[in-house]
Amino acid sequence: MEALAKEIGIPEGEYREIVQRLGREPNRVELLLFKVMWSEHCAYKNSRPLLKALPKEGEAVLQGPGENAGVVRVGEGWAVAFKIESHNHPSAVEPFQGAATGVGGILRDIMSMGARPIALLDSLRFGPPEEARSRYLLKGVVSGIAFYGNAIGVPTVGGDLYFHEGYRENPLVNAMCLGLLREEHLKRSRASLGRPIYYAGAKTGRDGIGGAAFASRELKEEKAEDRPAVQVGDPFLGKLLMEATLEAIELDLVEGVQDMGAAGLTSSLSELAHKSGLGVELHLDLVPTREEGMTPEELLLSESQERMVLVPKEGKEKALEEVFGRWGLDCVPVARTIPERVFRVLFRGEVVAEVPTEALAEAPTYVRVGREDPEVRRLRETPIPPLEADPQEVLRRLLASPNLASREAVYERYDHQVGTRTALLPGKGDAAVLWIKGTRLGVAAKVDQNPRYSRLHPRLGAMHALAEACRNVSVVGAKPLAYTDGLNLGSPETPEGYHELAETIAGLKEASEALGVPVVSGNVSLYNESGGKRIPPTAMVGVVGVLEVDKRAEMGFRRPGEVLLLIGEERGELGASEVLYLLTGKEFGHPPRLDLGREKAVQEAIRDLIQRGLTRTAHDVAEGGLLLALAEMTFPYGVGATVEVREEGLEALFGEAPSRVLFTVEKTRLQEATLLLEERGLPYRVLGETGGKSLTVLTPGGVLEWSLEELLSAWKAPLREVLDG
Amino acid sequence: MRWAIVRFPGANCDEDARFALEKAGIRAEFVWHTERDLRGFDGVFLPGGFSYGDYLRAGALAAKSPVMEAVRRFAEEGRYVVGVCNGFQILTEAGLLPGALLANLNLHFTCKEVGVRVERNDLPFTRLYPRGQVLRLPIAHGEGRYYADPETLARLEGEGLVVFRYAPLKDEADYNPNGSLHDIAGIVSEKGNVLGMMPHPERAVDEVLGNTDGLPFFLGLVREVAR
């Protein structure tokens, strides 16, 4: 057995731990159970000790980390379940199915909480778009998301997309989902003693065997051989499963729900039992299969999609079976909870595995010693050289650069309106807004992360990610309630990789405490490296907020003659900026400083301005700086502006800095708005006025002017060419 | 006034259809795809989505489902049937409307707002729009390119059966989002009671959604009965 352990990649120390916990040698099946359950993907071996430090409490929090998704209260008896999850490794090997099943998986997590999925967001990272492989992956991933999300009828309302050399071999595909539920319908992964456990949905096949373990190692050259580890998604079956599951919950037929995701039956049943403080006896012969002669190992580890686990309330077994039968789905008891806290597996009348649930669920954890990569430090400390460039030209080129160009070609592939809740469509605001029908409440959501910042300064980069996602949610008028984090990093087994993991989590902690926004769910994807090259540490932060839906702000100028103001400093920084990369082809320097106290005050101020009806147009100043933000505000409605910038140099025009928001106000109410900002002690400036068909910028160095048409076409073309070409 | 919304497995605009019908004051009820009796309803709505996963061909399997026999009889009796998006595909697959909906010319699922001109307003669906008005309506489909043979097209045009046509919202040249022949976005049967269209009026019925251009479509159905 020890030889087998070595062969399938269980470290010697962990094997000894298994023997000790069992009090004997494991058999082959048991060893495989440990292999998947103790994978980084399922067990968070390296991240768990660090993640403990994150603030998880908050007024609105109904369910924090540890369940299938986090849940926050939004008002009038409504709650929102949400979570982000990665599907990076499958997407690198088979982008279409990898992305599609990533969407399917996160939808089932949300359903498991008793919530109806109402929105999807996707956070994607690829290598440079000039390269054929990046294009192939991007097209495949976008098509896969569209294939699954459009068909199942959950709108894809937002996300973010970056191109960066660091993701050349390891693209990232993270999907976030929001679901809506009545507080009283909140479900958890629980079962009481002696209850039958039902298997519902698709039949089990040999697909995706060992996917969780696959997700926990580095991508090697022989990628084609990994194909069997990639699952295949069926959104039609997913839709039937979703409707049947939600109907069963609505009819109050179930006491516990658990999705069957990574590590299939093994993970879902052993965790359900462990969380309930019980054991479980599983009869593999009862599992519906679609292939002949499946072995116990295959049945236990299959990651066939569109499957759920349900625990009916006593006396509701028949009713549950009827609901699923009506939707044409299998729904059969395959297991039962037992008092002994073991995961016992029977196959053809014999016990093929019996392992304490605690031994499986509580994998050993690792605390390592990290060390900063000296190369990262060198790049960060590289001074910014004097840059000479014609701003007239720079804005056009920035708008057409891969990370700033319009995402319209992507989001047009996604149904972003099905469900008739989308109150702010993609491209219209800094965050998506979903309407809770029957109320005047709205839910805002945005996911953010900047790989340049994180690569050069992992801790600060993570702080920026949370600050920016909260800012975007605030800029549409919503109060941020909580966040979900998708942590994507390289191997924690190198000191440099571990350092980045530890720093990333430390950054989230610091920003979370300062902004008062706790984490409620998340996902960790490590080992995103190949050939010894780690991806930039990538904490994709998804923030959910609540607002009065009628008081929401869009980003586009709508009327001429409004006064345009900037909250925050005019001048940004060039370190790690898009303009620096554009002009030098390199990424270096110190990312922008972040004052979290100021950040919080700016967010509160813009929410207050929107709340009081002083503005309906607001936009944060992010990558590409002030001029890029101004250009973006002209696009939605084709209304221009004339502004004056007092500071000199590229720092003022294109420099980047957090805690900055642009907004417009009617002339008659200007004083009210400025008074509000003064009372809060925030720096602001009146920049100019909306109107016209051009963007005109008076600078100390002269007048810059662009027609909206030329800016718009520069901005829209690049991704169209990639996706439609 | 009571309308049935047929729930095919895989349909996903059924709730949206109910939202829009109820907004117009119409009682809307879901009817399962196995239902064979539609008595008591004033109209039938076939919603968008991916009925039966759109396996084989969009709408092809739904067209053979038990409820469609009832829909056919319902239509023959001259009562109102509306199919939107997948519903339109089902109506052509079932032969209740002529022509077919092929893959968009760009070969991609496309979701955006387009201009849709009202070609005739002597029907309940359009009576509240001025003729020639260009509505702003969302589309969301991968197979919406209307196709019919030249004779059928000539007949549709000759008899004025084209109800909705893609049209520029401002002055854009690429206003036809999918390559539909004659810019056709929606057609009606000769008797004027069976309507199929690709754009989604039910997604444009509330200020919160930023668009109310679809609301008169549903309000028009109500006035029909009051008449």
Side-chain angles (χ1 to χ4, degrees), chain A residues 62-91:
Chain A
L62 286 174
Q63 177 63 56
E67 282 292 326
N68 288 300
V71 183
V72 290
R73 188 183 286 125
V74 292
E76 298 186 31
W78 291 100
V80 170
F82 67 102
K83 189 188 182 189
I84 193 166
E85 196 158 81
S86 65
H87 233 215
N88 305 330
H89 287 71
S91 304

mmCIF file of all heavy atoms in Angstrom, chain A residues 62-91:
data_model
loop_
_atom_site.group_PDB
_atom_site.id
_atom_site.type_symbol
_atom_site.label_atom_id
_atom_site.label_comp_id
_atom_site.label_asym_id
_atom_site.label_seq_id
_atom_site.Cartn_x
_atom_site.Cartn_y
_atom_site.Cartn_z
ATOM 1 N N LEU A 62 -25.600 35.805 7.531
ATOM 2 C CA LEU A 62 -26.427 34.697 8.018
ATOM 3 C C LEU A 62 -25.639 33.401 7.998
ATOM 4 O O LEU A 62 -25.884 32.488 8.761
ATOM 5 C CB LEU A 62 -27.675 34.537 7.143
ATOM 6 C CG LEU A 62 -28.769 35.574 7.300
ATOM 7 C CD1 LEU A 62 -29.858 35.346 6.260
ATOM 8 C CD2 LEU A 62 -29.367 35.515 8.692
ATOM 9 N N GLN A 63 -24.727 33.286 7.059
ATOM 10 C CA GLN A 63 -23.905 32.089 6.944
ATOM 11 C C GLN A 63 -22.521 32.486 6.448
ATOM 12 O O GLN A 63 -22.401 33.069 5.372
ATOM 13 C CB GLN A 63 -24.549 31.090 5.968
ATOM 14 C CG GLN A 63 -23.730 29.841 5.722
ATOM 15 C CD GLN A 63 -23.536 29.018 6.996
ATOM 16 O OE1 GLN A 63 -24.489 28.624 7.648
ATOM 17 N NE2 GLN A 63 -22.285 28.793 7.380
ATOM 18 N N GLY A 64 -21.521 32.180 7.233
ATOM 19 C CA GLY A 64 -20.150 32.473 6.840
ATOM 20 C C GLY A 64 -19.510 31.306 6.119
ATOM 21 O O GLY A 64 -20.201 30.378 5.676
ATOM 22 N N PRO A 65 -18.175 31.320 5.998
ATOM 23 C CA PRO A 65 -17.465 30.253 5.274
ATOM 24 C C PRO A 65 -17.690 28.893 5.927
ATOM 25 O O PRO A 65 -17.918 28.808 7.129
ATOM 26 C CB PRO A 65 -15.995 30.666 5.392
ATOM 27 C CG PRO A 65 -16.005 32.112 5.738
ATOM 28 C CD PRO A 65 -17.255 32.345 6.510
ATOM 29 N N GLY A 66 -17.603 27.840 5.127
ATOM 30 C CA GLY A 66 -17.736 26.486 5.657
ATOM 31 C C GLY A 66 -18.910 25.730 5.074
ATOM 32 O O GLY A 66 -18.975 24.509 5.149
ATOM 33 N N GLU A 67 -19.852 26.469 4.488
ATOM 34 C CA GLU A 67 -20.967 25.792 3.815
ATOM 35 C C GLU A 67 -20.745 25.886 2.307
ATOM 36 O O GLU A 67 -19.703 26.342 1.853
ATOM 37 C CB GLU A 67 -22.293 26.447 4.215
ATOM 38 C CG GLU A 67 -22.784 26.033 5.588
ATOM 39 C CD GLU A 67 -23.209 24.560 5.686
ATOM 40 O OE1 GLU A 67 -23.735 24.016 4.695
ATOM 41 O OE2 GLU A 67 -23.000 23.955 6.748
ATOM 42 N N ASN A 68 -21.746 25.468 1.538
ATOM 43 C CA ASN A 68 -21.588 25.512 0.079
ATOM 44 C C ASN A 68 -21.461 26.936 -0.436
ATOM 45 O O ASN A 68 -20.900 27.166 -1.507
ATOM 46 C CB ASN A 68 -22.765 24.805 -0.598
ATOM 47 C CG ASN A 68 -22.688 23.299 -0.423
ATOM 48 O OD1 ASN A 68 -21.731 22.675 -0.854
ATOM 49 N ND2 ASN A 68 -23.666 22.731 0.242
ATOM 50 N N ALA A 69 -22.030 27.895 0.301
ATOM 51 C CA ALA A 69 -21.904 29.302 -0.078
ATOM 52 C C ALA A 69 -22.179 30.150 1.153
ATOM 53 O O ALA A 69 -22.761 29.661 2.132
ATOM 54 C CB ALA A 69 -22.900 29.653 -1.193
ATOM 55 N N GLY A 70 -21.765 31.408 1.120
ATOM 56 C CA GLY A 70 -22.081 32.335 2.195
ATOM 57 C C GLY A 70 -23.447 32.958 1.949
ATOM 58 O O GLY A 70 -23.936 32.973 0.820
ATOM 59 N N VAL A 71 -24.074 33.458 3.021
ATOM 60 C CA VAL A 71 -25.400 34.064 2.879
ATOM 61 C C VAL A 71 -25.455 35.360 3.677
ATOM 62 O O VAL A 71 -25.034 35.390 4.835
ATOM 63 C CB VAL A 71 -26.514 33.117 3.369
ATOM 64 C CG1 VAL A 71 -27.895 33.739 3.146
ATOM 65 C CG2 VAL A 71 -26.438 31.762 2.675
ATOM 66 N N VAL A 72 -25.960 36.418 3.032
ATOM 67 C CA VAL A 72 -26.163 37.678 3.748
ATOM 68 C C VAL A 72 -27.625 38.095 3.669
ATOM 69 O O VAL A 72 -28.326 37.811 2.703
ATOM 70 C CB VAL A 72 -25.289 38.829 3.183
ATOM 71 C CG1 VAL A 72 -23.820 38.608 3.502
ATOM 72 C CG2 VAL A 72 -25.501 39.022 1.684
ATOM 73 N N ARG A 73 -28.054 38.784 4.713
ATOM 74 C CA ARG A 73 -29.411 39.312 4.791
ATOM 75 C C ARG A 73 -29.451 40.623 4.010
ATOM 76 O O ARG A 73 -28.546 41.451 4.156
ATOM 77 C CB ARG A 73 -29.712 39.569 6.256
ATOM 78 C CG ARG A 73 -31.112 39.950 6.599
ATOM 79 C CD ARG A 73 -31.240 40.245 8.104
ATOM 80 N NE ARG A 73 -31.216 39.056 8.936
ATOM 81 C CZ ARG A 73 -30.371 38.862 9.939
ATOM 82 N NH1 ARG A 73 -29.456 39.762 10.223
ATOM 83 N NH2 ARG A 73 -30.425 37.764 10.667
ATOM 84 N N VAL A 74 -30.476 40.818 3.152
ATOM 85 C CA VAL A 74 -30.546 42.080 2.413
ATOM 86 C C VAL A 74 -31.786 42.907 2.748
ATOM 87 O O VAL A 74 -31.889 44.052 2.324
ATOM 88 C CB VAL A 74 -30.451 41.866 0.875
ATOM 89 C CG1 VAL A 74 -29.069 41.382 0.493
ATOM 90 C CG2 VAL A 74 -31.519 40.925 0.369
ATOM 91 N N GLY A 75 -32.727 42.329 3.490
ATOM 92 C CA GLY A 75 -33.886 43.110 3.902
ATOM 93 C C GLY A 75 -35.206 42.533 3.448
ATOM 94 O O GLY A 75 -35.259 41.768 2.480
ATOM 95 N N GLU A 76 -36.283 42.898 4.163
ATOM 96 C CA GLU A 76 -37.642 42.431 3.873
ATOM 97 C C GLU A 76 -37.730 40.914 3.795
ATOM 98 O O GLU A 76 -38.478 40.364 2.982
ATOM 99 C CB GLU A 76 -38.162 43.081 2.574
ATOM 100 C CG GLU A 76 -38.253 44.596 2.696
ATOM 101 C CD GLU A 76 -38.894 45.253 1.490
ATOM 102 O OE1 GLU A 76 -39.759 44.617 0.852
ATOM 103 O OE2 GLU A 76 -38.533 46.392 1.199
ATOM 104 N N GLY A 77 -36.921 40.234 4.614
ATOM 105 C CA GLY A 77 -36.972 38.772 4.648
ATOM 106 C C GLY A 77 -36.167 38.091 3.560
ATOM 107 O O GLY A 77 -36.130 36.863 3.484
ATOM 108 N N TRP A 78 -35.526 38.879 2.723
ATOM 109 C CA TRP A 78 -34.732 38.308 1.632
ATOM 110 C C TRP A 78 -33.265 38.189 2.023
ATOM 111 O O TRP A 78 -32.733 39.013 2.775
ATOM 112 C CB TRP A 78 -34.840 39.162 0.362
ATOM 113 C CG TRP A 78 -36.189 39.124 -0.263
ATOM 114 C CD1 TRP A 78 -37.172 40.062 -0.156
ATOM 115 C CD2 TRP A 78 -36.722 38.073 -1.077
ATOM 116 N NE1 TRP A 78 -38.286 39.668 -0.866
ATOM 117 C CE2 TRP A 78 -38.043 38.455 -1.434
ATOM 118 C CE3 TRP A 78 -36.223 36.842 -1.539
ATOM 119 C CZ2 TRP A 78 -38.850 37.645 -2.249
ATOM 120 C CZ3 TRP A 78 -37.033 36.049 -2.337
ATOM 121 C CH2 TRP A 78 -38.335 36.449 -2.687
ATOM 122 N N ALA A 79 -32.634 37.170 1.468
ATOM 123 C CA ALA A 79 -31.206 36.980 1.674
ATOM 124 C C ALA A 79 -30.555 36.605 0.350
ATOM 125 O O ALA A 79 -31.236 36.166 -0.588
ATOM 126 C CB ALA A 79 -30.963 35.884 2.708
ATOM 127 N N VAL A 80 -29.255 36.805 0.278
ATOM 128 C CA VAL A 80 -28.515 36.469 -0.940
ATOM 129 C C VAL A 80 -27.386 35.503 -0.587
ATOM 130 O O VAL A 80 -26.605 35.753 0.333
ATOM 131 C CB VAL A 80 -27.936 37.738 -1.603
ATOM 132 C CG1 VAL A 80 -26.963 37.373 -2.720
ATOM 133 C CG2 VAL A 80 -29.061 38.606 -2.161
ATOM 134 N N ALA A 81 -27.352 34.372 -1.291
ATOM 135 C CA ALA A 81 -26.259 33.409 -1.147
ATOM 136 C C ALA A 81 -25.273 33.673 -2.278
ATOM 137 O O ALA A 81 -25.686 33.910 -3.405
ATOM 138 C CB ALA A 81 -26.794 31.979 -1.250
ATOM 139 N N PHE A 82 -23.993 33.668 -1.971
ATOM 140 C CA PHE A 82 -23.029 33.867 -3.068
ATOM 141 C C PHE A 82 -21.677 33.250 -2.772
ATOM 142 O O PHE A 82 -21.294 33.058 -1.625
ATOM 143 C CB PHE A 82 -22.890 35.347 -3.420
ATOM 144 C CG PHE A 82 -22.261 36.217 -2.349
ATOM 145 C CD1 PHE A 82 -20.937 36.607 -2.445
ATOM 146 C CD2 PHE A 82 -23.006 36.648 -1.267
ATOM 147 C CE1 PHE A 82 -20.352 37.415 -1.471
ATOM 148 C CE2 PHE A 82 -22.437 37.449 -0.290
ATOM 149 C CZ PHE A 82 -21.112 37.843 -0.380
ATOM 150 N N LYS A 83 -20.997 32.946 -3.853
ATOM 151 C CA LYS A 83 -19.691 32.317 -3.756
ATOM 152 C C LYS A 83 -18.980 32.410 -5.094
ATOM 153 O O LYS A 83 -19.615 32.456 -6.141
ATOM 154 C CB LYS A 83 -19.853 30.839 -3.370
ATOM 155 C CG LYS A 83 -18.526 30.178 -3.051
ATOM 156 C CD LYS A 83 -18.663 28.676 -2.852
ATOM 157 C CE LYS A 83 -17.299 28.106 -2.501
ATOM 158 N NZ LYS A 83 -17.310 26.643 -2.499
ATOM 159 N N ILE A 84 -17.657 32.425 -5.036
ATOM 160 C CA ILE A 84 -16.860 32.354 -6.260
ATOM 161 C C ILE A 84 -16.091 31.042 -6.228
ATOM 162 O O ILE A 84 -15.729 30.554 -5.154
ATOM 163 C CB ILE A 84 -15.900 33.562 -6.366
ATOM 164 C CG1 ILE A 84 -15.305 33.662 -7.773
ATOM 165 C CG2 ILE A 84 -14.793 33.506 -5.310
ATOM 166 C CD1 ILE A 84 -14.629 34.994 -8.066
ATOM 167 N N GLU A 85 -15.915 30.437 -7.384
ATOM 168 C CA GLU A 85 -15.165 29.191 -7.436
ATOM 169 C C GLU A 85 -14.320 29.139 -8.704
ATOM 170 O O GLU A 85 -14.696 29.668 -9.739
ATOM 171 C CB GLU A 85 -16.127 28.002 -7.394
ATOM 172 C CG GLU A 85 -15.420 26.713 -7.062
ATOM 173 C CD GLU A 85 -16.374 25.666 -6.487
ATOM 174 O OE1 GLU A 85 -17.059 25.025 -7.279
ATOM 175 O OE2 GLU A 85 -16.430 25.534 -5.267
ATOM 176 N N SER A 86 -13.179 28.472 -8.578
ATOM 177 C CA SER A 86 -12.260 28.398 -9.714
ATOM 178 C C SER A 86 -12.479 27.120 -10.516
ATOM 179 O O SER A 86 -12.934 26.110 -9.974
ATOM 180 C CB SER A 86 -10.821 28.404 -9.209
ATOM 181 O OG SER A 86 -10.577 27.238 -8.461
ATOM 182 N N HIS A 87 -12.200 27.181 -11.788
ATOM 183 C CA HIS A 87 -12.129 25.983 -12.622
ATOM 184 C C HIS A 87 -10.964 26.135 -13.582
ATOM 185 O O HIS A 87 -11.111 26.019 -14.793
ATOM 186 C CB HIS A 87 -13.456 25.741 -13.350
ATOM 187 C CG HIS A 87 -13.982 24.354 -13.141
ATOM 188 N ND1 HIS A 87 -14.649 23.643 -14.079
ATOM 189 C CD2 HIS A 87 -13.892 23.532 -12.057
ATOM 190 C CE1 HIS A 87 -14.976 22.444 -13.603
ATOM 191 N NE2 HIS A 87 -14.525 22.366 -12.376
ATOM 192 N N ASN A 88 -9.805 26.421 -13.007
ATOM 193 C CA ASN A 88 -8.638 26.783 -13.803
ATOM 194 C C ASN A 88 -8.010 25.615 -14.552
ATOM 195 O O ASN A 88 -7.777 25.701 -15.763
ATOM 196 C CB ASN A 88 -7.570 27.392 -12.891
ATOM 197 C CG ASN A 88 -8.111 28.564 -12.095
ATOM 198 O OD1 ASN A 88 -9.007 29.260 -12.558
ATOM 199 N ND2 ASN A 88 -7.577 28.779 -10.902
ATOM 200 N N HIS A 89 -7.737 24.561 -13.834
ATOM 201 C CA HIS A 89 -7.023 23.456 -14.474
ATOM 202 C C HIS A 89 -7.836 22.807 -15.580
ATOM 203 O O HIS A 89 -7.327 22.621 -16.681
ATOM 204 C CB HIS A 89 -6.552 22.447 -13.421
ATOM 205 C CG HIS A 89 -5.403 22.945 -12.596
ATOM 206 N ND1 HIS A 89 -5.549 23.938 -11.664
ATOM 207 C CD2 HIS A 89 -4.085 22.607 -12.588
ATOM 208 C CE1 HIS A 89 -4.365 24.178 -11.110
ATOM 209 N NE2 HIS A 89 -3.466 23.385 -11.648
ATOM 210 N N PRO A 90 -9.123 22.498 -15.330
ATOM 211 C CA PRO A 90 -9.913 21.933 -16.436
ATOM 212 C C PRO A 90 -9.963 22.875 -17.644
ATOM 213 O O PRO A 90 -9.904 22.426 -18.787
ATOM 214 C CB PRO A 90 -11.305 21.744 -15.830
ATOM 215 C CG PRO A 90 -11.068 21.662 -14.363
ATOM 216 C CD PRO A 90 -9.896 22.551 -14.084
ATOM 217 N N SER A 91 -10.048 24.185 -17.378
ATOM 218 C CA SER A 91 -10.176 25.135 -18.481
ATOM 219 C C SER A 91 -8.882 25.249 -19.286
ATOM 220 O O SER A 91 -8.903 25.590 -20.467
ATOM 221 C CB SER A 91 -10.581 26.513 -17.956
ATOM 222 O OG SER A 91 -11.777 26.416 -17.216
#
